[in-house]
Amino acid sequence: MDALDTKLNDLFDGKVVRKDLVHRIKKGTNVPTFVLEFLLARYCASDDEAEIQAGMEAVLETLHDNYVRPNEANKAQSKVATKGKYRFIDKVHVNYNEKDRRHWAALENFDSRKVAISEKFYRDHDRLLQGGLWAEVTIAYNEIEDDDYAFYIEDLRPIQLSRFDFDQYCEARQECTRDEWLSFILRTVGLEPSKLSPRLKMHFIARLLPLVEPNFNFIELGPRGTGKSYFFSEFSPYSTLISGGQATSATLFYNNQRRKIGLVGFWDVVAFDEVAGIKVKDPDTIQIMKDFMANGRFSRGVEVIADASMAFVGNLDLSVSQIVNSEVYDLFQPLPKAFDLAIMDRFACYLPGWEMPKNSSEFLTDNYGFITDYLAEAFHYQLKQTNRYEEVSQRIKLGNAVEGRDEKGIKKTVAAFLKILHPSTAPTDEEFEEYVVYAIEARRRVKEQMNKRKSDDEFAKINLSYFDATGNEIVVYCPESKAADATQDPQRKNIHADDDSTPSAARAVIDTPRIVASVAAAKVDVAAVTGTTEPIIEELTEQHFTIHYGATGHSYETIFSPYLEGAKSIEIEDPYIRVTHQIQNFVRFCEAVIKTPSIRRISLITSYDDETDVKEMSERLSELKQSLLEMDIALEITVNEHMHDREVRVDNGWTIKIGRGLDFFQKPDSWFGVGTNDLTLRKCLETKVDIFKR
């Protein structure tokens, strides 16, 4: 242990964990971080290496015996039925059923949506009713045949803090310097601060800002593989990550039919991963989003007020120098077309994702950090209970170019920094100025891009500034665009250009000097220079995302079809194509695949166990094989009793791995409800998807 470790353990005894142990186990398991840390805090709370090794083995044994994996639901249910009861680690949701007039628990990986639960559990733990809670849960078997349920919850212990003392948290913070506290937080995230530059440290802290400041609108765009979505998917149980799919007003904001508030009412942060893939079909959704991002409230038949922050993360496919020196592109390029300037103007902070390092073990820490859930509770408390905006307003002085939304965004960003790094005290003048400079830069990045898009001077005041402690006015620039004329002084587009009165060749000549100047600083798309309008073919890219429990908008076509171009053969490894609903899923998969006309062969490698009705399985797969033959497609079936992996390999080089295989849809509540036939409308189980080129 180094000096920081010793101090952290002294101040927060019982609330810290060695992060290298988390990394070691995390690489071999698909378990949420706070579940691992819960077990490590129980079994590895020691400095003795022998005890730690024994504790690691105990953690792995507990995960093996008690953690329900997505493909082992049937086995888990069988254990309960044969043994009478069994203890599992799983995520538990509780829903009220109007028809039954009672509450039912749904266990995510146990794959049962009708488990009886006592009122005391969801009365004591609100999160069961608000998005679900990871817990150690004892499931018992119901022997009474007349009851309409097979399982009930006998005991439930949350894998989260039951109480949080904010005063104690603040008292311990006062024993630390700012830089020590900053290091504690970075180590909690899993990073070693000594390997990061001061600017990178601020970037990583900025990723946490939406977790502490209500109604904070955040965006980060950059290369793939920099960990943009981790902070919203695994760091805090109070945030939810939406991976692509349709963004509807009923899901996000309010369902008029059910009279039920959407995600913004249950989560501290609603984050959108792969923002370019968001589909907004209902124009009302955008209007409600604008209202909510502006002031945290909206009206949809009823007036709704919520504190949720909105975060958007996605990928840039062009180099930053190419974008900032181009008249054609801007740094908001990946956003959906439905996201207009009014949405962009509501972003308080644009984090430059292109400056973030790729995920690498060289940046990981081997030291102690807070138990993730403890810090998440601290952030949750501050989002709900503290307000630093007025304190910032009294201390900051901004220049004349700072307009209404600029001021609000800058102040909220500084307030969020104070909550994270100075939860109960005021920063020094130097520290406060550091936060102000970062906040102004993050807002200027937003305004520069809007100014490039706008045909008039509405957003032309981009030289945002502040007055320092000595009274000097200081203009803040974004480092990537400071020397880019195309961004600092963009050419105004002719708002009457749509009448085509000027021939395209003439327009190309007029634009040439500006574009040539841009080319001198960076490579620009050939189409921008020549004026040609040839269609741009979007190149397929690798993807790694999570489909969350209850998400809709996903189907075999949306996931697989784009990666089948030119393919003749496809090979599926999935050991769980054996019972009726799994074979039905495989039929739907084949229906999606054969819409690619070049496909001529489908190969299935699967397995079965002692509980499988092999005869029935064989008959149904034979029927499918004959049906495909009539369409001139060969289905080859191989049985491998020892296989466990699930992946799809296409002969054009792409591999698609889904954690749950093809069986990632929830069973419908009714076979006559929406989602029975159209899989994009059916709710999903939680699973990870990895698409990569071999």
Side-chain angles (χ1 to χ4, degrees):
M1 300 201 321
D2 62 12
L4 283 176
D5 287 337
T6 302
K7 190 166 190 175
L8 186 62
N9 275 272
D10 290 343
L11 293 173
F12 295 95
D13 184 35
K15 300 179 181 68
V16 297
V17 67
R18 261 181 55 183
K19 294 297 175 173
D20 61 321
L21 303 182
V22 180
H23 303 322
R24 282 160 60 182
I25 294 187
K26 183 70 174 171
K27 290 179 180 178
T29 60
N30 188 18
V31 182
T33 301
F34 47 84
V35 174
L36 287 180
E37 293 186 348
F38 169 81
L39 295 173
L40 288 169
R42 174 189 289 179
Y43 293 111
C44 300
S46 172
D47 294 331
D48 183 84
E49 282 300 322
E51 291 183 18
I52 288 176
Q53 188 57 40
M56 293 277 284
E57 293 175 4
V59 170
L60 292 172
E61 184 178 348
T62 301
L63 289 174
H64 180 269
D65 293 339
N66 302 117
Y67 178 70
V68 185
R69 286 165 179 77
N71 61 323
E72 295 177 346
N74 189 51
K75 180 181 177 183
Q77 292 180 10
S78 177
K79 274 186 180 180
V80 176
T82 55
K83 296 186 177 184
K85 62 181 178 181
Y86 203 86
R87 186 175 64 192
F88 298 104
I89 296 174
D90 203 350
K91 191 173 185 180
V92 185
H93 306 255
V94 175
N95 304 296
Y96 179 73
N97 187 297
E98 295 179 5
K99 183 179 178 181
D100 297 340
R101 295 190 177 185
R102 65 171 295 176
H103 290 80
W104 294 106
L107 277 77
E108 195 164 294
N109 293 341
F110 188 74
D111 198 19
S112 179
R113 304 188 67 197
K114 199 171 184 180
V115 179
I117 185 170
S118 170
E119 179 184 352
K120 67 176 182 178
F121 295 123
Y122 56 82
R123 186 183 62 232
D124 294 342
H125 309 293
D126 290 342
R127 295 296 296 179
L128 289 170
L129 295 162
Q130 301 174 6
L133 184 71
W134 279 93
E136 278 188 319
V137 54
T138 301
I139 306 294
Y141 185 69
N142 181 22
E143 301 282 357
I144 304 174
E145 295 184 2
D146 292 340
D147 288 343
D148 58 348
Y149 60 91
F151 307 106
Y152 65 93
I153 292 179
E154 184 177 276
D155 190 30
L156 184 146
R157 293 178 56 197
I159 302 179
Q160 286 180 341
L161 293 179
S162 57
R163 293 180 180 84
F164 173 75
D165 189 335
F166 183 65
D167 292 335
Q168 184 185 41
Y169 175 80
C170 293
E171 288 172 8
R173 163 63 183 94
Q174 292 172 20
E175 300 296 321
C176 311
T177 66
R178 195 286 301 265
D179 290 340
E180 286 176 337
W181 190 255
L182 180 62
S183 296
F184 291 161
I185 292 175
L186 290 174
R187 283 183 173 178
T188 300
V189 176
L191 300 166
E192 179 49 50
S194 62
K195 299 177 181 178
L196 302 174
S197 67
R199 182 168 172 83
L200 273 181
K201 291 179 184 179
M202 292 294 287
H203 287 339
F204 279 111
I205 295 297
R207 282 181 170 175
L208 301 170
L209 301 181
L211 294 166
V212 295
E213 183 68 15
N215 306 127
F216 187 84
N217 304 313
F218 171 90
I219 184 168
E220 178 184 354
L221 302 175
R224 295 162 181 81
T226 58
K228 293 186 291 293
S229 59
Y230 164 81
F231 288 78
F232 307 114
S233 62
E234 293 206 28
F235 180 78
S236 173
Y238 294 103
S239 67
T240 185
L241 184 70
I242 301 174
S243 301
Q246 292 187 19
T248 65
S249 53
T251 301
L252 292 174
F253 301 109
Y254 192 81
N255 189 318
N256 278 329
Q257 300 301 319
R258 297 186 177 183
R259 297 181 180 179
K260 185 177 179 182
I261 194 170
L263 295 175
V264 297
F266 294 115
W267 300 96
D268 290 355
V269 180
V270 177
F272 298 84
D273 194 12
E274 303 291 348
V275 65
I278 296 176
K279 299 178 179 64
V280 184
K281 293 187 177 180
D282 182 4
D284 288 346
T285 302
I286 291 295
Q287 187 55 51
I288 295 173
M289 185 179 287
K290 291 176 186 176
D291 294 342
F292 182 75
M293 292 174 72
N295 50 35
R297 65 178 64 196
F298 60 90
S299 178
R300 199 164 189 256
V302 294
E303 184 80 11
V304 177
I305 301 175
D307 291 328
S309 297
M310 303 199 85
F312 301 83
V313 295
N315 303 318
L316 285 174
D317 293 322
L318 299 174
S319 71
V320 174
S321 61
Q322 181 177 351
I323 293 172
V324 298
N325 288 287
S326 168
E327 295 286 355
V328 180
Y329 301 116
D330 60 64
L331 292 172
F332 281 136
Q333 177 214 352
L335 295 184
K337 291 183 179 179
F339 281 31
D340 56 14
L341 287 169
I343 291 281
M344 299 171 191
D345 197 20
R346 286 158 168 78
F347 290 129
C349 176
Y350 187 145
L351 192 152
W354 50 88
E355 295 185 19
M356 305 299 278
K358 291 276 189 178
N359 292 335
S360 170
S361 58
E362 69 174 292
F363 295 106
L364 299 180
T365 186
D366 293 333
N367 300 87
Y368 282 84
F370 290 113
I371 293 174
T372 300
D373 196 53
Y374 178 73
L375 195 59
E377 287 294 334
F379 289 173
H380 174 67
Y381 180 92
Q382 291 180 93
L383 182 137
K384 295 293 185 182
Q385 306 295 336
T386 64
N387 188 339
R388 308 294 290 273
Y389 190 87
E390 188 60 31
E391 176 186 339
V392 172
S393 296
Q394 293 175 1
R395 192 166 174 179
I396 196 172
K397 187 175 181 182
L398 300 170
N400 292 329
V402 176
E403 299 172 306
R405 287 211 171 105
D406 303 328
E407 180 180 359
K408 182 179 179 181
I410 291 167
K411 288 181 177 179
K412 285 178 77 70
T413 301
V414 176
F417 272 114
L418 296 190
K419 288 183 178 183
I420 293 175
L421 299 175
H422 308 271
S424 63
T425 57
T428 64
D429 288 342
E430 292 77 13
E431 291 165 348
F432 187 78
E433 185 173 349
E434 183 181 358
Y435 309 144
V436 170
V437 171
Y438 191 96
I440 293 177
E441 178 196 318
R443 175 59 191 178
R444 175 173 182 143
R445 190 168 288 111
V446 173
K447 205 167 186 184
E448 284 183 350
Q449 310 317 306
M450 294 191 297
N451 188 41
K452 287 183 76 172
R453 290 198 175 197
K454 199 71 165 69
S455 58
D456 56 25
D457 293 331
E458 181 179 354
F459 302 111
K461 293 182 178 181
I462 60 174
N463 286 326
L464 309 186
S465 62
Y466 72 99
F467 291 89
D468 64 13
T470 61
N472 295 321
E473 183 175 9
I474 300 174
V475 177
V476 179
Y477 293 90
C478 301
E480 73 276 359
S481 60
K482 184 175 181 179
D485 290 340
T487 297
Q488 299 304 317
D489 184 25
Q491 184 178 8
R492 297 299 176 200
K493 300 172 184 175
N494 182 357
I495 61 175
H496 302 296
D498 292 338
D499 60 9
D500 289 330
S501 57
T502 306
S504 59
R507 288 200 299 273
V509 172
I510 293 170
D511 293 344
T512 297
R514 172 78 60 168
I515 293 172
V516 169
S518 300
V519 174
K523 295 180 180 179
V524 177
D525 192 291
V526 175
V529 180
T530 62
T532 59
T533 57
E534 294 182 6
I536 299 174
I537 301 175
E538 189 172 338
E539 184 179 354
L540 291 174
T541 59
E542 295 187 352
Q543 295 193 59
H544 307 275
F545 59 91
T546 299
I547 298 174
H548 286 272
Y549 185 89
T552 58
H554 302 282
S555 69
Y556 300 128
E557 288 189 15
T558 61
I559 294 174
F560 292 96
S561 294
Y563 295 90
L564 300 180
E565 186 68 31
K568 296 180 180 179
S569 174
I570 186 168
E571 187 176 87
I572 306 95
E573 282 193 14
D574 192 331
Y576 296 95
I577 308 293
R578 51 177 78 157
V579 297
T580 301
H581 78 276
Q582 293 169 346
I583 297 175
Q584 287 174 339
N585 283 337
F586 183 60
V587 172
R588 293 189 180 99
F589 171 79
C590 291
E591 290 174 343
V593 165
I594 63 179
K595 291 179 182 178
T596 300
S598 58
I599 293 289
R600 285 292 171 263
R601 185 179 72 91
I602 300 174
S603 175
L604 170 65
I605 304 172
T606 189
S607 68
Y608 58 84
D609 56 20
D610 296 338
E611 299 177 7
T612 305
D613 187 336
V614 179
K615 181 180 178 182
E616 183 180 80
M617 171 185 171
S618 177
E619 288 175 352
R620 290 173 175 172
L621 288 175
S622 295
E623 289 179 25
L624 175 59
K625 184 174 184 177
Q626 185 60 39
S627 176
L628 288 169
L629 276 176
E630 294 173 5
M631 304 185 71
D632 197 24
I633 296 173
L635 172 62
E636 299 173 0
I637 303 171
T638 305
V639 174
N640 182 347
E641 296 181 5
H642 304 292
M643 66 176 297
H644 298 283
D645 291 338
R646 288 167 293 282
E647 69 178 31
V648 177
R649 294 183 292 272
V650 190
D651 66 350
N652 60 10
W654 286 102
T655 295
I656 300 98
K657 299 188 72 168
I658 304 179
R660 289 181 179 269
L662 300 182
D663 192 13
F664 62 87
F665 294 102
Q666 295 183 18
K667 296 176 183 176
D669 293 329
S670 165
W671 290 105
F672 297 95
V674 172
T676 300
N677 296 307
D678 187 345
L679 293 182
T680 60
L681 300 176
R682 188 183 296 188
K683 293 181 179 179
C684 298
L685 298 165
E686 186 159 322
T687 188
K688 292 187 182 297
V689 180
D690 296 292
I691 304 174
F692 55 91
K693 200 70 175 285
R694 295 192 301 280

